[in-house]
Amino acid sequence: MVSALFLPLYSMFVLLIGGVGVLLVIGYVVARREYELEDISDEAPEKPGKSIEPPRLGKYLATQLVFAFLLLLMSPELPRDVTVVLGSVMALFIALTLLASRPLVFQLAPKFSGIMARGLAKALTLVSAFITFEAFLVWRGFEGDLLGILLIPIALLVIFYAAYVMLTSAYGEGYY
């Protein structure tokens, strides 16, 4: 009776991802507004600002969209909770890649050259590929096989490699 008051685990996960997405959008809007207000204020210095070129993340974004499309194609055969959770994670990764491609996100970076944004996009694309591979295994019924069991250490390796790519790109940007 009390358990009827709680949401299933995948609903809580979607709620969490949705909350993070809403916070990202609100933070972006507030940061853009503050930047525009600072830009038109009288106290702003009159020196010409450095023009920040947005990093070219089109290939990473296109790859992530292809992975999301493949997940969409497999979704009728997948369990509903798996589809909802993996689809929301893929949508969050696409949104983060879009935010990384906007130069406003990196306005405060002292030496922005786009290396860190490309590293983030590469890591998110790598994890998106792994998510699509996981969905393929569930779609084909391999999740209980030896391949499904070997997926756990492989998942850890992929996540650690993605973190390594992001950290080395931050080093390349000059933060360490």
Side-chain angles (χ1 to χ4, degrees), residues 23-33 99 102-105:
L23 286 176
L24 282 172
V25 169
I26 290 171
Y28 180 76
V29 168
V30 168
R32 189 177 76 196
R33 181 178 170 269
L99 281 176
R102 305 296 305 155
L104 181 62
V105 175

Side-chain angles (χ1 to χ4, degrees), residues 135-157:
F136 176 75
L137 289 178
V138 171
W139 181 57
R140 299 303 294 169
F142 289 121
E143 72 269 8
D145 261 351
L146 178 64
L147 187 59
I149 294 169
L150 289 176
L151 200 60
I152 295 171
I154 293 171
L156 290 174
L157 288 174

Side-chain angles (χ1 to χ4, degrees), residues 6 18 41 49 60 75 79 89 99 102 109 114 118 131-132 135 139 149 169:
F6 296 103
S41 69
Y60 300 112
S75 66
V89 169
L99 281 176
R102 305 296 305 155
R118 284 189 296 276
I131 287 173
T132 307
W139 181 57
I149 294 169
S169 64

